[in-house]
């Protein structure tokens, strides 16, 4: 079952653009690990926040990706750009009007 993870990542003051650049670097590894979609966005009303929406083959694929060395390295590189404020939600996708 497809798994969705949507969240907000607080950036250190003035570092949102750096965080967005880091989050949007090309990663074929994510696809290989079961990531179907990884979209990063911003909202000018929240200048120190980046938003991420992910779709995965399954919740297990998402959990497993967090153990991959490349993903661990990317997380470590992002830490100095983060404020520590996080939000979001996760759910199993049950359907869509855009596909059968």
């Amino acid at each position: 079952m497809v798994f969705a993870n949507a969240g907000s990542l607080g950036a250190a003051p003035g570092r949102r653009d750096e965080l967005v650049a880091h989050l949007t670097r090309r990663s074929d590894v994510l696809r290989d690990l079961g990531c179907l979609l990884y979209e990063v966005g911003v909202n000018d009303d929240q200048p120190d926040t980046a938003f991420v929406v992910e779709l995965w083959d399954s919740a297990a694929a998402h959990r497993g990706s967090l153990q991959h060395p490349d993903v661990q390295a990317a997380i470590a590189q992002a830490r100095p750009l983060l404020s520590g404020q996080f939000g979001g939600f996760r759910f199993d996708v049950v359907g869509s009007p855009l596909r059968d």
Side-chain angles (χ1 to χ4, degrees):
M1 178 173 288
V2 173
F3 174 75
N5 185 39
S8 59
L9 304 171
R15 301 194 76 184
R16 181 187 74 184
D17 292 345
E18 288 177 79
L19 178 59
V20 167
H22 176 73
L23 293 171
T24 57
R25 284 192 305 204
R26 178 123 182 126
S27 173
D28 292 327
V29 168
L30 289 179
R31 181 178 296 111
D32 295 342
L33 294 171
C35 188
L36 305 171
L37 175 121
Y38 193 103
E39 299 293 329
V40 178
V42 298
N43 178 334
D44 287 339
D45 292 336
Q46 297 181 47
D48 291 323
T49 304
F51 299 90
V52 178
V53 176
E54 308 168 53
L55 292 180
W56 290 82
D57 287 333
S58 66
H62 177 259
R63 277 191 310 274
S65 74
L66 298 173
Q67 304 308 312
H68 191 279
D70 290 356
V71 174
Q72 287 283 320
I75 292 169
Q77 292 168 355
R79 278 195 185 104
L81 304 173
L82 298 169
S83 69
Q85 295 180 335
F86 304 99
F89 53 92
R90 298 171 173 179
F91 59 93
D92 292 322
V93 176
V94 296
S96 168
L98 301 177
R99 65 184 190 299
D100 293 330

